[in-house]
Amino acid sequence: SQTIHQWPATLVQPVGSPLSLECTVEGTSNPNLYWYRQAAGRGLQLLFYSVGIGQISSEVPQNLSASRPQDRQFILSSKKLLLSDSGFYLCAWSVKLGRANVLTFGAGSRLTVL
Amino acid sequence: AQSVTQLDSQVPVFEEAPVELRCNYSSSVSVYLFWYVQYPNQGLQLLLKYLSGSTLVKGINGFEAEFNKSQTSFHLRKPSVHISDTAEYFCAVSELTGTASKLTFGTGTRLQVTL
């Protein structure tokens, strides 16, 4: 069966520090991978998605970047965190079945920037 | 562009009472619709999905939803809720970009079940 792991689960970082959140998927190959952010009191915003190694699509301009160095690994990064980067970050994966793709989410990483 | 509106940010309900969580969507193409549930400090779990066929979709935990094309709605219902149903519920519509299916989510409805 497929599983998705995110770490760290919680993170408290000072403004201006770097960030690295990691997501890995097991039990499948060539998945689509996604990063969503959930800010307090708001819905989920798609940040990045990837259809293959090295292929990253950005949905909104921001202080974050994403990379996919391996087939089942998706990393969310920042060189200098802002207060507005605080939130709950969710990684998700799906198979490639067009619009019928069902996204399966990880448990999330809660980032607090102070 | 597709969008989803969840009309109620919070829905309080007593245990064993019925509940309906409302969702309306806008889309210029045929839609695929989803409901996800999020328990506190956890990721999202798929409750049910509408892809085609019967407009009444049954999901996990006794939930069901009805796709209404004329009203562009996909409301979630449960005839009798339990305390354990307390969670945040998200409606989403799917959009295809290349081979990636992107979900656009509503802002969520917090279901609070009390005794």
Side-chain angles (χ1 to χ4, degrees), chain B residues 31-47:
Chain B
V31 290
Y32 290 178
L33 294 158
F34 304 79
W35 275 100
Y36 281 82
V37 60
Q38 184 181 34
Y39 298 103
N41 295 312
Q42 294 186 26
L44 276 70
Q45 180 183 6
L46 181 68
L47 267 180

Side-chain angles (χ1 to χ4, degrees), chain A residues 5-23:
Chain A
H5 303 280
Q6 281 187 246
W7 68 93
T10 58
L11 194 60
V12 180
Q13 292 285 99
V15 170
S17 63
L19 171 73
S20 181
L21 300 179
E22 190 164 340
C23 170

Side-chain angles (χ1 to χ4, degrees), chain A residues 24-71:
Chain A
T24 59
V25 181
E26 297 177 357
T28 187
S29 60
N30 196 27
N32 289 336
L33 296 171
Y34 308 81
W35 278 111
Y36 280 84
R37 176 170 61 198
Q38 185 177 22
R42 299 168 70 175
L44 287 92
Q45 180 185 35
L46 178 61
L47 302 176
F48 302 95
Y49 67 93
S50 171
V51 300
I53 296 175
Q55 301 178 61
I56 308 295
S57 296
S58 175
E59 286 294 289
V60 292
Q62 58 204 320
N63 186 42
L64 302 169
S65 62
S67 62
R68 184 170 177 175
Q70 299 180 44
D71 181 47

